[in-house]
Amino acid sequence: MLETPKPATTAYVTAGGVAVTRTDTPVEESVLTELVADLDNRRGAVLSSGVDYPGRYSRWHLGYVDPPIELVAYARRIEARALNERGIVLLPVVASAMAGTGEVVLDEKSRFAVDVPESAGSFTEEERSRQSTVFSALRAVVAAFASSVDQHLGLYGAYGYDLAFQFEPVRLRHDRTTDPHRDLVLHLPDQLVVVDRKRETSVRYAYDFEVDGRTTAGLARQTTPTPRAAARPVPPPPEPGRYAGIVRTARERFRRGDLFEVTPSHVLSGRCDSPAAFYERLRTQNPAPYEFFCNLGEGEYLVGASPEMYVRVSGDRVETCPIAGTIRRGRDALEDAGQIATLLNSTKDESELTMCTDVDRNDKARVCVPGSVRVIGRRQVELYSRLIHTVDHIEGRLRPGMDAFDAFLTHMWAVTVTGAPKQWAMQFIEDAESAPRRWYGGAVGFVGFDGSMNTGLTLRTAHVENSIASVRAGATLLYDSDPDEEERETLLKAQALLDTMSEPDPGPRSGACGDGPAAAVTDGGDAVGAGTRVLLVDHQDSFVHTLGDYFRQHGADVVTLRYGFPAEQLDSLAPDLVVLSPGPGRPADFDCTRLLAAVEARGLPVFGVCLGLQAMVEYAGGTLDLLPRPAHGKPGSVRVVTDGAGEGMLAGLGSSFTAGRYHSLYASPANVSGFEVVAVTDDPGGAQVAMAIADDVRRRWAVQFHPESILSATGRAGHQLVANVLRLARSSDRRPLGVGPA
């Protein structure tokens, strides 16, 4: 007979001086099943992955109940609560960490709270993830418990959608004060059951802590059971056609160029008397990379089987897996194959994913090492119980000094649940949806005290209160979207989850889930941009940081400021090149004329992309028109007309090349003055579009296409263009004659 393995003990001290003792005890996997049942009445969570995908997902399962510490945020107020005597031992560590991040508004034996102020003054876009938010308090707590010894101890729970408004300003239409809801609930557990199916192990990790001579050893782990509120009637379904109306409104915004894509949602509801039973059915019938069941206390539960990673961090590696492109499963494998072919041949679905990936790459570029952001999986197919998706897989390497929270914040929230440009899309969502999203579109998972993070998007999720399960579902909209079809897609997504609450899933099931760094282009043996200071002006665009990353890859020093900064900052920064980013809307929305006048007065070289080109055309006396059909996330064939005998902005790109387009406004070559039109696109709608304009003497250049898009990556065309602009900007034989009309 084999001997039962003895418990193993590990002891260490955290960065904040907390002595930790961990006891590892092998257990049967059935312990987790019992834990799930407990969560109907006790705080805690079960997180699992029900799929294997080499290099991406592996199957695991973990859970906990009765955490000693709970962190809760209401807007900018964050509160730490001790849920038992063990939590009272730990609370002083948490309180001391949080106290330095805001004004202390509550200080009791079992509770502590601070109001985190908004950041004073301005900051560059590269510093946006370090502005003052409730994440400042979370970062301080993690720092107090930091240790590389343990990979499991950390903060577990859920992050609500409204947290994004501390990171990006949005005009709020819905009242959040009458019935304030929690924006964040995280637990610090002191006991975890972890099942690793790859290693075939099942272990209970039990923790004791010693703080200033006080220890949790011997103290009871139980907490007060959570109350269950009385059941309420199930709300009626959404009014037929309302969502289709939102799609029609969005299409008009696409036509005007305000949006490239957007993902509004609406809510369906059903009865759910046992969230635990629902979770067990859901993970059996619809295995997903991120399965979760959270008892958040106060009668709130989250039950979900999300197909999409939000942010995963290991060491300095950050990963995301945006999903866009959806089609119904077939009745068998042969029909599935036909549906997959249809999905992969859909230009509309390809454009959806292209835009999502371009925005995602941009999000990473804000915090990652230049050149490290790579697409490592493109249009991969994932199969679920009723749906088939296409998915990309993207990775980057965090810059020194950046951490998991920087990665988390810069992606807030994923383009697949918001849209692009992200801030304008989030404003559209706030205006179009009938109520705040609460947990939908946020994230569930953990941040480890070892610096790691693993979070899934809160999709395919039921928010359960008063025995009512509310399920939000949305669709990624483009100008090409069919309003009625998009509404049907949202109903299909939501109904698949609601049906699982009480009935077996009749559809097919599957456990299958469903441009790299390169040396800088050189000139004379050195990086082209070495010693060049670039000021990148952000017009609320969702691709600006990828653009900045391209300049950094060529050795340039890039600082990013949002539009509207005082003109005097041009003097203090003294850039060698000003880059006008793309953006939604029209140049007048960003007062581009004022900035271009200030740039002209100082004789600074300037390069514009998309909206930047449009601004420069108007400033020089030209006019803009509206394309008959928007070109968002579309490849375009750019034909070089003339380019200074091969020495100008388009040098090395040949007579034609493919580039990514995201625009509704355009300049006809006939309507451009003060520039030489060096490249055009003959649009299928009948318009000839000026795709590149140049004035080498006055050192001003612009392109209508997006050099930073993956659609411009063939032959590294975008990188070559950026290198050419840097070379031209630093040329000593050019005189700074300004940017005004010729």
Side-chain angles (χ1 to χ4, degrees):
M1 178 180 294
L2 294 176
E3 293 185 8
T4 302
K6 295 181 179 180
T9 300
T10 303
Y12 61 93
V13 177
T14 74
V18 180
V20 181
T21 302
R22 188 189 75 198
T23 303
D24 308 352
T25 306
V27 295
E28 296 295 326
E29 189 174 333
S30 59
V31 170
L32 268 177
T33 304
E34 300 167 5
L35 190 152
V36 169
D38 288 340
L39 288 177
D40 262 345
N41 300 294
R42 295 161 67 185
R43 281 180 174 85
V46 175
L47 309 173
S48 57
S49 176
V51 299
D52 286 299
Y53 197 100
R56 185 154 162 186
Y57 300 119
S58 60
R59 297 177 71 204
W60 52 268
H61 200 180
L62 66 81
Y64 64 92
V65 293
D66 294 328
I69 292 287
E70 177 182 69
L71 299 175
V72 178
Y74 297 88
R76 287 187 166 270
R77 175 165 297 184
I78 183 165
E79 180 176 333
R81 303 170 181 171
L83 301 178
N84 57 18
E85 289 298 317
R86 299 171 66 85
I88 290 175
V89 173
L90 285 172
L91 188 61
V93 180
V94 178
S96 177
M98 290 171 49
T101 64
E103 178 188 355
V104 176
V105 292
L106 179 66
D107 188 357
E108 299 176 351
K109 179 181 179 182
S110 63
R111 295 195 302 165
F112 183 89
V114 297
D115 284 342
V116 181
E118 296 186 19
S119 292
S122 62
F123 48 83
T124 67
E125 289 303 300
E126 289 80 4
E127 300 167 314
R128 179 165 288 269
S129 59
R130 291 303 173 103
Q131 65 180 303
S132 180
T133 66
V134 294
F135 286 87
S136 305
L138 296 182
R139 184 178 272 120
V141 172
V142 170
F145 287 90
S147 171
S148 61
V149 174
D150 190 286
Q151 62 177 321
H152 300 296
L153 194 60
L155 300 177
Y156 291 74
Y159 304 82
Y161 180 83
D162 278 10
L163 288 169
F165 305 147
Q166 297 183 34
F167 186 74
E168 290 285 4
V170 169
R171 296 185 309 276
L172 300 183
R173 182 175 72 89
H174 302 293
D175 179 28
R176 268 86 167 172
T177 58
T178 304
D179 182 22
H181 57 262
R182 297 181 294 173
D183 293 325
L184 176 150
V185 176
L186 297 178
H187 296 145
L188 197 172
D190 61 359
Q191 191 167 227
L192 288 159
V193 176
V194 180
V195 176
D196 186 330
R197 291 191 171 88
K198 186 174 182 180
R199 295 184 174 88
E200 297 184 344
T201 60
S202 182
V203 181
R204 175 185 281 113
Y205 298 97
Y207 297 86
D208 276 306
F209 307 92
E210 183 177 331
V211 179
D212 294 332
R214 299 183 64 192
T215 179
T216 61
L219 297 179
R221 296 181 186 271
Q222 286 73 26
T223 62
T224 304
T226 57
R228 297 285 298 277
R232 295 179 180 173
V234 176
E239 179 184 352
R242 186 181 185 280
Y243 191 88
I246 294 175
V247 179
R248 294 185 181 96
T249 302
R251 291 190 69 206
E252 176 60 25
R253 299 290 297 275
F254 297 143
R255 191 187 71 80
R256 284 163 35 192
D258 293 347
L259 299 169
F260 303 143
E261 65 178 359
V262 70
T263 309
S265 65
H266 58 167
V267 181
L268 278 76
S269 301
R271 175 74 61 196
C272 181
D273 293 317
S274 173
F278 172 35
Y279 166 74
E280 291 288 23
R281 279 195 299 271
L282 184 63
R283 63 184 300 264
T284 299
Q285 296 176 11
N286 187 24
Y290 290 90
E291 305 156 350
F292 50 88
F293 172 28
C294 304
N295 181 335
L296 302 177
E298 300 184 14
E300 274 194 286
Y301 303 82
L302 293 178
V303 183
S306 176
E308 186 166 346
M309 180 190 299
Y310 176 56
V311 172
R312 186 165 66 189
V313 177
S314 178
D316 68 345
R317 184 182 188 230
V318 53
E319 299 172 82
T320 51
C321 298
I323 292 177
T326 301
I327 198 168
R328 184 191 294 267
R329 287 289 301 268
R331 289 173 294 183
D332 55 30
L334 294 179
E335 285 195 4
D336 275 349
Q339 292 291 82
I340 290 169
T342 299
L343 183 59
L344 291 177
N345 285 317
S346 167
T347 56
K348 182 256 186 187
D349 288 302
E350 183 177 9
S351 292
E352 278 187 26
L353 190 54
T354 293
M355 282 192 268
C356 289
T357 295
D358 274 345
V359 175
D360 192 286
R361 292 166 63 238
N362 174 79
D363 292 341
K364 287 182 179 59
R366 193 200 305 257
V367 297
C368 286
V369 173
S372 70
V373 179
R374 300 190 304 147
V375 178
I376 58 177
R378 174 64 172 162
R379 299 201 79 194
Q380 297 175 316
V381 174
E382 292 185 353
L383 293 89
Y384 294 93
S385 62
R386 299 192 183 190
L387 301 171
I388 304 172
H389 298 300
T390 47
V391 185
D392 282 358
H393 190 182
I394 306 159
E395 71 170 9
R397 298 285 175 176
L398 290 171
R399 295 202 312 269
M402 293 294 178
D403 61 19
F405 284 121
D406 293 301
F408 189 98
L409 285 164
T410 196
H411 289 87
M412 187 180 281
W413 285 113
V415 60
T416 48
V417 294
T418 53
K422 195 177 288 185
Q423 187 176 346
W424 285 47
M426 293 175 75
Q427 186 65 63
F428 179 89
I429 287 167
E430 174 71 11
D431 294 339
E433 293 183 351
S434 59
R437 287 187 163 189
R438 298 189 68 175
W439 300 108
Y440 173 79
V444 171
F446 80 92
V447 55
F449 295 149
D450 65 344
S452 64
M453 175 179 281
N454 195 359
T455 54
L457 268 177
T458 315
L459 302 173
R460 314 291 159 82
T461 297
H463 174 216
V464 183
E465 282 187 300
N466 309 115
S467 297
I468 301 299
S470 301
V471 178
R472 272 191 180 267
T476 301
L477 308 181
L478 306 180
Y479 182 78
D480 304 332
S481 294
D482 176 87
D484 296 327
E485 181 58 36
E486 298 292 357
E487 180 167 310
R488 284 192 290 272
E489 179 183 317
T490 65
L491 297 176
L492 174 65
K493 290 175 178 176
Q495 198 60 48
L497 200 67
L498 292 170
D499 288 349
T500 309
M501 291 181 193
S502 56
E503 300 176 4
D505 186 346
R509 297 188 296 272
S510 171
C513 236
D515 55 32
V521 177
T522 59
D523 182 27
D526 298 320
V528 170
T532 303
R533 180 175 300 153
V534 173
L535 170 59
L536 177 54
V537 182
D538 179 5
H539 298 116
Q540 293 185 317
D541 185 59
S542 286
F543 310 133
V544 64
H545 298 293
T546 303
L547 185 62
D549 183 83
Y550 275 32
F551 279 91
R552 292 187 182 99
Q553 288 182 51
H554 294 296
D557 178 18
V558 182
V559 171
T560 312
L561 295 177
R562 288 208 177 174
Y563 77 99
F565 58 85
E568 290 73 22
Q569 284 195 257
L570 291 171
D571 301 319
S572 59
L573 290 172
D576 301 302
L577 174 67
V578 177
V579 178
L580 306 185
S581 86
R586 306 183 69 96
D589 294 330
F590 304 97
D591 196 13
C592 291
T593 296
R594 182 189 66 85
L595 176 61
L596 284 170
V599 169
E600 176 184 17
R602 291 159 175 80
L604 298 173
V606 62
F607 172 59
V609 176
C610 200
L611 181 88
L613 176 142
Q614 296 158 13
M616 291 165 68
V617 166
E618 284 192 330
Y619 184 69
T623 58
L624 304 174
D625 294 302
L626 200 62
L627 287 171
R629 188 178 185 85
H632 295 159
K634 306 291 186 185
S637 178
V638 179
R639 177 165 52 90
V640 178
V641 179
T642 176
D643 191 31
E647 297 178 357
M649 175 175 57
L650 303 181
L653 297 180
S655 60
S656 66
F657 58 93
T658 298
R661 300 176 65 183
Y662 289 88
H663 65 108
S664 297
L665 294 173
Y666 78 101
S668 166
N671 294 333
V672 174
S673 62
F675 291 90
E676 180 181 16
V677 176
V678 296
V680 298
T681 286
D682 299 309
D683 198 83
Q688 188 175 73
V689 179
M691 295 301 286
I693 60 177
D695 182 348
D696 289 345
V697 173
R698 295 171 179 263
R699 296 192 300 171
R700 53 183 186 169
W701 310 273
V703 294
Q704 182 60 67
F705 59 87
H706 282 240
E708 80 287 355
S709 171
I710 57 174
L711 295 173
S712 306
T714 303
R716 293 179 60 80
H719 287 86
Q720 181 65 57
L721 172 70
V722 168
N724 290 342
V725 170
L726 284 168
R727 173 176 52 80
L728 292 168
R730 73 174 195 176
S731 296
S732 59
D733 58 342
R734 308 291 185 188
R735 290 190 300 116
L737 297 180
V739 193

